[in-house]
Amino acid sequence: MLEELVAYLGTLDPVVAALLAGLFTWGVTALGASGVFLFKGVNKKLMNGMLGFTGGVMIAASFWSLLSPAIEMSSGEKFEKVMPAAIGFILGALFIFGLDKLMPHLHLNFLKSEGPKSSLHRTTLLTIAIALHNIPEGLAVGVLFGAAASGAPEASISGAVLLAMGIGLQNFPEGIAVSMPLRRMGLSKWKSFQYGQLSAIVEPIFAVLGAFAVGFFMPVLPYALAFAAGAMLFVVIEEVIPETQQEEHSDIPILGFVLGFVIMMVLDVALG
């Protein structure tokens, strides 16, 4: 099944393939958000475990799918070879840092807000927060599809597909993490679902932008891959991991993190 999917996507324009992959990750977020129609709430331990799993998947993908290929495809030796990845990684982290400071948003715990003061409703601020943090995921998918289509030996369509699958897998609990709290705040099930799925709408958009940019600016490919990795890692450390440590039983999200990291690493190395 995976081989047929990879073969099919390999026949498509990279921008179209990236769009389909971005729509998939968005769809999984919507699937998670749809849980609001079936359940009144989610066990906090389970939610923390899923968020820990999310962090593990994102960090594994940052290295195995993005940073490692960025280093491999850079020319030169020693410091010269690693500098494009280092620069791109730092710029990616600074990009999300800048967005955090410039855009008003609310953290998952609904307690801490960041960015300029705003009169926007808390539901809107939460959706903005998740949308901001989904930008690097869309970029990562698009850049990797663009790199594979460009013929870079360090990137492959199968690796891009696996990255999209991994991001989709960790988007499921993100959809739940948005829709369920909104429902508890008094929003209708339909509105809670709408906000939950809307948080991932940026992924297909930035997947297309990433694939399009790589097609025109091949020399910046190592920087672009590392940029996406730095942005993803910033999100994990700044948002995902702290959220799992708000309650007792913090060992559960750590075990979830280890499981997510191992699954993504195995898939990427064995099948990528």
Side-chain angles (χ1 to χ4, degrees):
M1 179 67 177
L2 179 61
E3 292 181 355
E4 288 80 1
L5 177 61
V6 169
Y8 170 70
L9 292 175
T11 64
L12 300 177
D13 181 278
V15 173
V16 176
L19 173 61
L20 293 177
L23 290 174
F24 165 75
T25 59
W26 177 27
V28 178
T29 306
L31 184 63
S34 68
V36 75
F37 294 112
L38 303 175
F39 309 103
K40 292 183 178 180
V42 178
N43 181 278
K44 186 63 177 179
K45 295 180 185 178
L46 177 61
M47 190 69 239
N48 285 342
M50 288 192 294
L51 287 175
F53 181 88
T54 290
V57 169
M58 290 179 72
I59 287 185
S62 295
F63 177 75
W64 298 104
S65 298
L66 300 169
L67 264 183
S68 182
I71 295 171
E72 291 177 12
M73 68 178 56
S74 299
S75 59
E77 297 181 359
K78 297 184 179 179
F79 284 105
E80 184 181 356
K81 186 173 183 64
V82 77
M83 285 310 294
I87 293 171
F89 188 85
I90 292 172
L91 291 176
L94 290 176
F95 173 71
I96 299 299
F97 174 79
L99 289 180
D100 267 358
K101 299 305 178 185
L102 294 174
M103 298 289 292
H105 61 282
L106 188 69
H107 283 246
L108 284 174
N109 57 22
F110 282 82
L111 300 176
K112 182 182 178 183
S113 60
E114 284 190 355
K117 291 184 178 180
S118 173
S119 59
L120 294 173
H121 195 275
R122 289 202 301 168
T123 56
T124 304
L125 293 175
L126 178 64
T127 304
I128 291 174
I130 303 299
L132 289 178
H133 294 165
N134 281 336
I135 288 175
E137 297 173 9
L139 276 176
V141 170
V143 168
L144 203 54
F145 268 105
S150 71
E154 298 82 5
S156 66
I157 295 295
S158 59
V161 170
L162 287 172
L163 177 62
M165 291 173 62
I167 289 175
L169 191 63
Q170 61 92 28
N171 274 1
F172 184 81
E174 283 190 0
I176 298 175
V178 178
S179 63
M180 289 297 186
L182 294 179
R183 178 59 179 159
R184 289 197 297 269
M185 288 174 60
L187 269 70
S188 67
K189 291 181 178 181
W190 176 245
K191 283 190 175 182
S192 299
F193 167 75
Q194 283 185 310
Y195 278 109
Q197 61 83 28
L198 189 62
S199 65
I201 188 63
V202 297
E203 292 197 9
I205 296 172
F206 278 86
V208 168
L209 291 176
F212 184 79
V214 167
F216 281 91
F217 306 105
M218 274 298 296
V220 303
L221 184 52
Y223 296 90
L225 288 170
F227 181 96
M232 287 176 64
L233 197 64
F234 187 96
V235 168
V236 174
I237 296 173
E238 195 263 349
E239 178 73 32
V240 177
I241 298 302
E243 175 60 22
T244 67
Q245 304 299 306
Q246 300 293 323
E247 307 285 342
E248 296 181 356
H249 311 292
S250 59
D251 287 347
I252 294 176
I254 293 173
L255 293 175
F257 179 95
V258 171
L259 179 63
F261 186 96
V262 169
I263 288 177
M264 190 64 198
M265 177 183 68
V266 169
L267 289 175
D268 199 287
V269 175
L271 303 176

